[in-house]
Amino acid sequence: MTGVSKWGYRVAQSFVFAIEEINRSAHLLPNLTLGFSIRNSGDSVHGALYETMGFLTGQEEPIPNYTCQHGSPQAALVGDTRSSLSVSMARLLGLYKFPQVSHGSSLPSLSDKIQFPSFLRTLTSDVTSSCAVTQLIIHFQWSWVIILAQDDDFGQQASSLATQMLTPAGVCIEFHLHVPSHQSLPKIKEIIQKMKKSTARIVLVFLSNANFHLILYGLLADPVSGQVWVSKDTLHMALTLTIPDISKVLQGTFSLLPHSSRAIGFPEFLDHLHPSQTPEDMFIKKFWELTFDCTWPYQNSTVTEGAQVCSGNESLKNKPHPFPEVSKIDAAYSAVYSIAHALHDMIACDHRDGKGTDSQDFQPWQLLHALRKVHFKTPDGIEIMFDANGDLVSKFDILQGQRIPKGIFHLVHVGIIEPQASSENKMMVHLKEDIQQVRCPPPSAVKAAFQGSAKCPNWEPPTAVLIAAHALRDSLQTKEDMKRCLLCPKEQYSSHTRDHCLPRTEIFLAFEEPLGFILALVALLLAGLAVLALGVFLKHQDTPVVKANNRTLSYFLLISLSLCALCALLFLGRPTVITCLLRQTTFAVVFTVAVSSVLAKTLTVVLAFRVTRPGRRIQVCLNRGASTSVVLIASSIQAVLCGVWLAISPPFPDRDMVSEPQHIVIQCQEGSGAAFFCVLGYLGFLAGGTFSVAFLARGLPDVFNETKFLTFSMLLFCSVWTAFLPLYHSARGKSTVAVEIFSILASTAGLLGGIFIPKCYIILLKPEKNIPAWLRPGQKAHQEKQSEMLQRRHVHKSSPKILKISSSGESPGPRA
């Protein structure tokens, strides 16, 4: 025979007690008698599944999908007490839509009706209990807490939910302490040391019984005065009351108990239990042996010498009813009543509709449908109903561990928490007047830089004590007469001492600051150099250097480069509506003009070397109007893109509250991100194409090395803007603007220096090279090279090889 626990047997007897009470009732199922069978899962998943399948099939050796049932149908299954067993049973029963009502499984995942469609429970899930205990923290307006959680699914879910609810309510969490599930003593000692150093005095507990005991015993060795423990589980607090000298550790305790039905008369029912009255009960003798520490004289067995023999005269009347078992017993009692009321409603409803459902012949899904909608009151007046997830809709009793003058703790009912119908996560807390005030530690106990303790209701400290609020960057450290941590407004930030809020200052890249002044000076210098180069070209416009490679394009390029340098000034100063509209669009258009001018100059060089005969169609592309058309077409496309951007979602001034904690960054928001990247993408595509053409043409002969200078300048341009992208996205605040201005000026300097400084050097410092006579050797060599290429093509076309076949079959070879 498998072992029987005293706790499990008492729960089973509450099940029997409820059925006998229902069968005696004249109002609930008056013409129907409920039967039952009790099965022992052996506290294992294998045993639970085996017994469940045996219950469904009616076989000792169950075979799936085969039923050997005769007589009354099975209505529902109650159990199991552990979540791990209930999960396995619920998966199996869900396949058959067979109702399962658990009285001890609080795992949150069991609320998932997709995985567990036929599972209901007469106790609250861990999520609901955690939500309730968190509401208790918020109601007392405690603002500085520790969360002590089990390092498993339950602890992580509960602590995560508590954090999500406490943080918006202004509650600061000093530590999240996770206790290993496998009871690691070194880890628990480390956690105890942290708790001793902690300044928070409110401890929110989500622990197993064993780890809870270890933590308390560890603190007893070196007590920390004044800690208030808050737990969702009454079992924790009940265990706490039995620990000697626990008053050294705990100054106050709060715990919750689901407001469930009380099995009135159940203690008297237990008192009258006796093996002789229920010989069919296969578990009562084991229960008797465990309870009275005796042994029954079984047949074919001998009693160990010195062991006490059970006489049958023992009585349960003098045995105390242990407190920790009450909640599970009450939940099992409510589970049986839920099934009975569902049966009653199903039969009564069908009779009203004229369907006449036979109570001896119905499908499990029919009872499941009625069970989900059940709504009734138990004999002691407790309302029972389930929510959409099959969880019990329940209130919570608030119990406080109070110390009587003799120094003994006992649990006192001090209030109730009830859910709000309008919100799943909001609960109302109602307290009685006889609640004992929990005193915080004196100010002398607070020594850290971020000092203090949580605010307690109606406690007047002798001196002001600051509460710590460094868990949030912008939280305000309030005085002790304040009731919570406060977040500073968006326009303010918390002071270094966390005791008041300071106004944030507005910042932007101004002309007056050193960086802005230097960037503006460089922009004006580059614009001046471009204008100066333009003046030199205009003065020497008839010289060979200026005439080479289309002087009109050179004028376009110099004017656009001067505007590129000047457009950087739009990024400086306080952003306004006008400057935000002009910043990116002006930059995009003038840089497109510059890059397209370089593209036109490069194409001119390439096409010039491809012209081998006068009058060819390709020579039309060397006209002055053709190169100008390239610039106009490319610039027009960019102008259209910018116009669409401004029409759809234009840039606008914005205030950045996130980048810098102590400042408000005034910046231009780009509006449509897609349009902004289309403009940049087009400019990047144009620059990449220009660089590719210039790179391929870098080896063409030229007196002034035009193609090499174009290639070098575009290499600088592309390198600058390739480095710009990661820097721009990683920069914050006004540094973003500085990065873009630097990229504009660097790329402008690259084009201006790479293309025009060598030309100005020849014009101003080497005038002897800027004459037609100096150009003739290069031109002659160029003409000779073109003539040679022309002759090779002519010979290739006019002198084909001919293969003649002689009559004798010999092959004499090719002849010209």
Side-chain angles (χ1 to χ4, degrees), residues 47 117 234 236 240 272 294 496 520 556 574 595 676 716 787:
T234 307
H236 289 342
T240 300
H272 291 89
C294 62
H496 179 70
F556 273 146
R574 185 185 182 91
V595 174
F676 174 62
L716 291 177
S787 177

Side-chain angles (χ1 to χ4, degrees), residues 221-396:
D222 188 9
V224 180
S225 62
Q227 284 186 330
V228 180
W229 297 72
V230 184
S231 172
K232 77 172 194 68
D233 199 337
T234 307
L235 180 57
H236 289 342
M237 296 301 106
L239 292 172
T240 300
L241 305 186
T242 63
I243 299 177
D245 300 324
I246 194 61
S247 59
K248 295 180 180 179
V249 177
L250 301 180
Q251 187 169 350
T253 60
F254 288 92
S255 60
L256 301 181
L257 179 67
H259 193 63
S260 57
S261 174
R262 298 291 184 266
I264 301 173
F266 180 65
E268 292 76 13
F269 176 80
L270 284 179
D271 290 344
H272 291 89
L273 280 180
H274 196 274
S276 61
Q277 294 182 354
T278 54
E280 70 279 3
D281 188 346
M282 59 186 295
F283 303 114
I284 190 170
K285 286 191 175 182
K286 277 291 181 181
F287 170 74
W288 207 265
E289 291 178 346
L290 291 172
T291 303
F292 298 102
D293 194 22
C294 62
T295 303
W296 289 99
Y298 296 102
Q299 293 180 353
N300 301 325
S301 63
T302 57
V303 179
T304 304
E305 184 178 355
Q308 184 179 351
V309 179
C310 298
S311 63
N313 296 325
E314 298 86 1
S315 175
L316 293 172
K317 290 184 179 180
N318 299 325
K319 288 293 180 181
H321 187 67
F323 179 81
E325 300 167 11
V326 171
S327 60
K328 303 294 184 183
I329 290 173
D330 293 340
Y333 178 78
S334 300
V336 177
Y337 263 91
S338 299
I339 296 170
H341 276 275
L343 274 170
H344 186 92
D345 294 344
M346 181 185 68
I347 296 171
C349 180
D350 287 339
H351 280 303
R352 286 195 300 268
D353 294 342
K355 297 179 181 179
T357 297
D358 187 0
S359 61
Q360 301 299 312
D361 185 17
F362 60 88
Q363 297 299 320
W365 62 264
Q366 293 177 287
L367 178 60
L368 178 62
H369 180 73
L371 190 57
R372 289 171 177 168
K373 296 183 177 182
V374 76
H375 190 180
F376 66 96
K377 288 186 177 181
T378 58
D380 61 338
I382 300 299
E383 192 174 15
I384 300 293
M385 62 180 296
F386 300 102
D387 62 15
N389 297 322
D391 298 330
L392 183 69
V393 179
S394 176
K395 302 176 182 178
F396 291 88

Side-chain angles (χ1 to χ4, degrees), residues 45 68 70 185 275 307 322 337 413 452 484 511 521 534 555 607 658 689 715 776 799:
V45 173
C68 298
H70 300 284
L185 291 179
Y337 263 91
H413 183 271
R484 66 182 67 221
F511 288 96
L521 190 63
L534 179 61
Y555 298 157
L607 293 176
V658 179
L715 177 62
R776 289 195 186 105
S799 303

Side-chain angles (χ1 to χ4, degrees), residues 29 62 66 393 434 458 494 522 571 595 615 664 712-713 751 753 798 815:
L29 298 174
Y66 284 89
V393 179
D434 59 347
N458 302 326
S494 178
V522 173
F571 291 82
V595 174
I664 300 174
F712 177 69
S713 62
L751 292 176
S798 61
R815 298 178 68 179

Side-chain angles (χ1 to χ4, degrees), residues 138-139 246 312 330 502 578 641 657 665 778:
I138 296 173
H139 178 81
I246 194 61
D330 293 340
L502 298 175
I578 300 299
L641 290 176
M657 303 280 193
V665 181

